[in-house]
Amino acid sequence: MIQLSRNYSLPEREEEIIPIKVIGIGGAGSNALDRMVLDGLDKGDLIAANTDVQSLASSVAASKVQLGRGVTRGLGTGGDPQLGLDAATEAGDELRTACGEARLIFLCTGLGGGTGSGAAPVVAELARETGALVITFATMPFAFEGKRRAAQAQEALLELQKISSAVICFENDLMGDIVAPKAGIHQAFAAADVTISQSVRSIISLIQRPGLIRIGFDDLLAALRNSNSRCLFGYGESDSDNRPHDALTQALKNPLMDRGRMLSDATSVLVQVAGGPGMTLSEVEILMQELNRHISDDTQILFGTVVDGRMGNRLSVTIISSLAADGAVVSKPVFERPSAAPVPSPQAGPETKRSPAPELESQPAVEADTAPEAEPSPSPDEPGKFVPEAESAEPPPLVRPLQMIEATLNQPELADETPSEETDSIGDIAEVPEPAAMPQIVEQVREPEPQQPRVILPRKKTTPLKEPKPAENSVAKQEVLQFESVTRGRFEKSEPTIVEGQDLDVPTFLRKNVRVK
Amino acid sequence: MASSDLMVGLEIGTSKICVVVGEGRPDGTIKILGVGQAPSRGVRKGEIVDFETAMKCVHEAVVDAETKSDVMIRSVYVGVAGAHIQSFNNRGSVSLPEDRDEIDEQDIEDVKTNAREVSIPSQNAFLHSIIQHYHVDGQDGVLNPVGMLGERLEADFHIIHGVRTRIQNTIRCVKELPLDVEDVVFTALAAAQVVLTPHQKSLGALVIDIGGGTTDYILYVDGAVKQSGVLGVGGDHITNDISMGLRIPMTRAEKLKVEEGAVTLGNCLPGETVQLKDDSGFAGKEIERETLNTIIHLRLRETFELLKRKLEEEPFINYIGEGIFITGGCSHLKGIDHLAEEVFELPARVAHAQTMSGLTSAFENPQFSAAIGLIKYAQAVQVDRRPTGGIRRIFGKIFSGMR
Ligand SMILES: Nc1nc2c(ncn2[C@@H]2O[C@H](COP(=O)(O)OP(=O)(O)O)[C@@H](O)[C@H]2O)c(=O)[nH]1
Ligand SMILES: Nc1ncnc2c1ncn2[C@@H]1O[C@H](COP(=O)(O)OP(=O)(O)O)[C@@H](O)[C@H]1O
Ligand SMILES: [Mg+2]
Ligand SMILES: [Mg+2]
C-alpha cells in the first residue's frame, strides 16, 4: 500500500528555472525537435546537430550545429557511423558552447543511420563533461530497415548507455504498432516523434513545474538508475468524469509500458500526477491505488503532484521507471493484467461527500453515459465487472467493454481532403474554455476503505457533448498516441518551401516564436 | 460556330480548377460564355502531385464548363505556377548583314534567340520571353522595329523559365483527357492581363496573386514586365498555421479562416471569441478572435516581407506608380490591402477581372483572375499569331504583342 504524504506544502516561491537543453542529432533527432516546438517547447532551448545542412536549414531549432564541416561537407553520412563520429568530433567546440550552462541535457536521436549512431555518443560524452545530467532518447530502427542498421543501432545504444545518465529507448517496431498497419512509414515516424516529444516534455515538467510535492533530479535518476537499462515510460491524460482511471489506463497503454506488466519488476517507479486547480486529493488517491496493483510491494514509489492552471479540466499521469537489462526484451503488448480486481467505482452525484468545491456539488447528476466505469476485463468480449455499489442511489453504472478503450486514432491531416476528415477529432476540440478558477486541493475527509473511495466529481464540461457515442465519451484523451498534424502538416507530400534558409511550411508563429494560445 | 474565336482558359489551381470559355468579338472585346469549376485535389503548391486525381478534377471542371457554355471544348490555354518558376531580364542583339539595312521579322526572331543564349539550369525550359524594349542603333523606345532602318537591333526581354518535367506534367494531365494544349502560361502573367489596364502597366504596378498553394507575382514598369516569380506559400499555409495553432482539423481551420479570418490586429474587443460551429455533432470550441487574426497576420506579413526583399534585389519596385494589386482567393481576407501598404509602403488594393462583357458579378471575384486572364492572353496571342503558324510551339513561344 502506498503511503501518501500528508504534509502538503503550498507551492514554493517561483523557483529559479533549471537550465535545460535538448539536442537533436541526425535526421530523426531533428524531426523530434520540430515536433517538440509544435507541442509548445521553447525552441530557445533546442539545438539541432546534423551533418546534413539541408536538414539543418529546415530545422526550427534556435541553434544549429553543423557536424563535420571538413569531414562530410554539408552532406549526410550515407549511413556510416564512423563518419558521424568523426563529424561530431570535429564540431566538439561548437557543441560544448551550445550546451552552455545547462544542468540537464536531453539528447534525441534515431539510431541506425550514420549521424545519430556515430555522433550521439560523442555528443553525450561532451555533454557529460560540462557537468550536466544527460538523458538520451533514442529510437531503434524498424526490423524492415535491415540487419546492418539494427547492428549499428545496437552498438551505438550500448555506447550511449555507458555514457548517459539515463537512456530511454524507443523501439520503432513497437511505435509502429500504434499506427494502422497500412499507414505509411511517415506516420510511424510521426507517431514515434509524438511519443518522444511527450516524454521529454513530461520529464521537463516533472522537474520544472512547481509541484505540491516536488520531484527533483535525484528522484528522477533513482527511477532511471539502472545503467544498461530499459526505460518504462507512460503518459496519459483525461478529462472524463473518471479521469484518474482513464488517465492511468492511457499511461499503461503506452507501448513503452508494455501494458503495465513490466512495472511489477521495477524496483522504483516515479509517478507524477498533474491537474488543474480542480484536482482533488481523492482523485490522486484513486489513481495511486489503482497503480499500486501493477507494482510489487517492495517497489519504491517516488511521487509528485502538480497543480497547473493550464491543465484545465485535464488530469495527467506520468510514469517513469526502468528495468535491469536482463528482462529487457519488451514483448509485444498483450492485454493481460496480473490482477483483475475490480476498480473502486467513483460514486457520482450530488450526494458525494462534502467537497471543497461547492460549484461541483451544484452540478447536475452525471448523465447515464458518463456514469462510473468499471475496470475493463481481461477479455475483450467479456464486459468488465460491476463495481460494488457503496452508497449509490444513482443510476447503475454503465459497463464499458474493453474494446472501447482502444485509442481512437486520428488519421493525420496529410491525407488528401476527403469528406471523412470532417469528422476527425483532434482531442482538444471538445475542450471547453475554463470557467472560473476552482479551489485548490484541500484536505479531504479520508476514507480508509480503499473499495469505497470518496470521489469529488471532476468539473463537468459546461458545454454538453451532443449525444456522443458512449465509447467516445469515455475514452481518455490519448495524447501520446494521437496524431496531430506533424510539423509540415498538409505539406508533407510536397517539396518543402525553403526561402532565406527557413522552412516556410512550418507555421510562421512557430518560427517567430509567437505564442498563440 | 467557328472555333477559332473561341478561347478556353484552364487554371489548375491548388484549391480549385477553373475553366473559362470566352469568345473573341470582332471589336476586340471578349464575351465570357461560361465558367466551369471543380475543387482541386492532388495539387500541392501549384504543382500536380497526384496525377490520376488531378486529372479527374480537371475533367470534372471541363465538363462543367461545357455544360454551362454549351460549347464543346477541344483545346485550352493552361496556366502554370509552382515555386520552380523563375525569371530574369536579358538583352539580345543582332547586327544586320552588310547588304541589308531594313529590320525584318527574322531579325526579331534572332534577337530573341540571342537573348536566350544564357544558361538556365539544364532541366529547365523557357516558358515566356516577353519583350520589354527594342533599341535600334542605340535608340530607345522603339515599339515595333520591323521596317525600320538600322545596323544593329537590340532587345530587352523578360524571360520566364521553369523545370521542364513539371511543366510537362501539367501538359500531360490535360492531353490525357484528351484536350489540346494551345499554350502554357504563367498564371501571374495571365492574371495581370485582366487585373491591370494598359495604362496601369505603363505607370508601373505589382500584381500579387495569392492562391491556395502559391503566391504568384509580376511587376510592370513602363508597360513592360520587369520581375516575376512564385513563392511557394499560399492560403493553405494560413490554414495549416491555424490548424496547428488552434489544434483544429484542416477543414475547420479553412472554414474558420474564410468565414471569420481577418488580417488586421487590434480590432477585436478584449476577449472577443468566435464560436467554432459544428455540424457533425461536435461540441463547439471558442476561439479568441485576436489569436486567429494574429496567426493569419503573421503569415501574410512574412509573405509580403519575403516578397519585398526578393523584389528589392532589383530597383524596379521603386518605379511602380500605380502601386500594388492583390488578387487570388486570399485577397478576400479583410485588411490584406492595409497590411500590404504597411509592408511595401506603397498604395495597395484588392483587384479582380473587370473589363469583360458577359462576366456576371459572380465571376468578378479575385479567385478567377488568372483563369479569366488566360482568355485575355489567348486573345492577344491569337491576334498576334501569324495565320501560317505551322507547328505549335509550347515551349518558348514567340510573339511580340503580349506584355
Ligand atoms: N522517430 C523518428 N525516427 C526516424 C525518423 N527518420 C528516421 N528515423 C529512424 O532513425 C534512424 C536514423 O535515421 P536518420 O536520423 O535519418 O539518420 P542519420 O541522420 O544519419 O542519423 C532510421 O534508421 C530510422 O529508424 C523520424 O522522422 N522520426
Ligand atoms: N472569402 C475568403 N476569405 C479568405 N480566404 C479565402 C476566401 N475565399 C478563398 N480563400 C482562400 O483562397 C485560396 C484559394 O485561392 P485561389 O486563388 O482560388 O487559389 P488557386 O488558384 O491556388 O486554386 C484558399 O486558400 C482559400 O482558403
Ligand atoms: Mg539524415
Ligand atoms: Mg490561382
Side-chain angles (χ1 to χ4, degrees), chain B residues 14 33 49 58 67 84 107 117 122 218 270 292 300 308-309 322 355:
Chain B
T14 307
L33 302 179
V49 293
V58 174
T67 314
H84 61 96
D107 296 326
E117 278 169 8
S122 62
I218 191 162
L292 171 67
L300 282 171
K308 184 179 185 219
R309 283 201 289 276
E322 281 289 288
T355 53

Side-chain angles (χ1 to χ4, degrees), chain B residues 26-88:
Chain B
D27 62 355
T29 60
I30 295 171
K31 182 173 165 41
I32 303 288
L33 302 179
V35 177
Q37 269 194 92
S40 178
R41 293 180 214 278
V43 181
R44 289 280 185 277
K45 297 181 186 170
E47 296 179 46
I48 295 171
V49 293
D50 178 347
F51 200 82
E52 297 297 316
T53 312
M55 221 171 89
K56 276 196 204 112
C57 298
V58 174
H59 181 252
E60 201 181 309
V62 168
V63 170
D64 188 34
E66 286 181 330
T67 314
K68 290 189 175 141
S69 61
D70 201 16
V71 162
M72 173 117 150
I73 297 173
R74 294 180 202 281
S75 66
V76 294
Y77 284 79
V78 184
V80 285
H84 61 96
I85 291 174
Q86 301 172 40
S87 69
F88 61 93

Side-chain angles (χ1 to χ4, degrees), chain A residues 417 484 486 495 511 516, chain B residues 41 45 244 247 291 302:
Chain A
E417 38 290 89
E484 292 163 23
V486 291
E495 210 165 88
R511 283 178 288 112
V516 295
Chain B
R41 293 180 214 278
K45 297 181 186 170
M244 289 193 177
R247 309 220 158 200
T291 304
E302 177 188 55

Side-chain angles (χ1 to χ4, degrees), chain B residues 341-356:
Chain B
E341 286 184 344
E342 192 189 323
V343 172
F344 287 94
E345 297 175 270
L346 286 167
R349 71 193 92 163
V350 172
H352 53 78
Q354 277 160 329
T355 53
M356 303 219 176

Side-chain angles (χ1 to χ4, degrees), chain A residues 35 38-40 413-419 421-426 428-433 463-467 479 484-491 493-497 499-500 502 504-512 514 516-517, chain B residues 14 40-45 47 49-50 53 83 166 212-213 231-233 236-238 240-252 255 275-276 278-286 291 294-295 298-300 302 305-306 309-310:
Chain A
R35 178 72 230 177
L38 262 191
D39 289 339
E413 302 280 337
L414 320 177
D416 258 297
E417 38 290 89
T418 49
E421 210 171 69
E422 200 67 65
T423 56
D424 265 7
S425 55
I426 284 193
D428 286 13
I429 213 139
E431 210 177 298
V432 174
T463 319
L465 284 170
K466 275 192 260 158
E467 310 256 58
E479 200 177 321
E484 292 163 23
S485 15
V486 291
T487 317
R488 279 192 203 302
R490 174 173 164 91
F491 306 107
K493 276 198 218 157
S494 65
E495 210 165 88
T497 300
V499 178
E500 296 181 2
Q502 297 197 60
L504 298 187
D505 294 340
V506 175
T508 312
F509 68 84
L510 277 180
R511 283 178 288 112
K512 306 253 183 223
V514 177
V516 295
K517 268 259 160 139
Chain B
T14 307
S40 178
R41 293 180 214 278
V43 181
R44 289 280 185 277
K45 297 181 186 170
E47 296 179 46
V49 293
D50 178 347
T53 312
R166 305 203 182 173
L231 208 56
V233 174
D236 286 351
H237 285 82
I238 302 175
N240 195 49
D241 291 2
I242 295 171
S243 155
M244 289 193 177
L246 304 177
R247 309 220 158 200
I248 56 177
M250 284 290 280
T251 43
R252 275 156 195 252
K255 204 160 168 245
Q275 194 72 36
L276 194 66
D278 191 348
D279 24 38
S280 61
F282 239 122
K285 175 174 176 165
E286 281 200 338
T291 304
T294 302
I295 295 173
L298 288 170
R299 171 62 77 174
L300 282 171
E302 177 188 55
E305 285 172 350
L306 288 170
R309 283 201 289 276
K310 180 108 188 78

Side-chain angles (χ1 to χ4, degrees), chain B residues 9-13 16 18 20 77-81 185-195 207 209 216 327-329 351-353 363 365-377:
Chain B
L10 163 63
E11 189 200 9
I12 306 177
K16 52 120 196 19
C18 188
V20 181
Y77 284 79
V78 184
V80 285
V185 186
F186 172 43
T187 48
L189 177 61
Q193 306 313 313
V194 288
V195 165
V207 175
D209 176 346
D216 316 337
T327 193
H352 53 78
F363 296 108
N365 178 328
Q367 279 190 256
F368 300 114
S369 299
I372 296 171
L374 284 167
I375 302 276
K376 192 82 184 272
Y377 176 98

Side-chain angles (χ1 to χ4, degrees), chain B residues 378-389:
Chain B
Q379 186 191 35
V381 178
Q382 287 188 351
V383 166
D384 194 66
R385 268 196 186 138
R386 302 292 171 273
T388 45

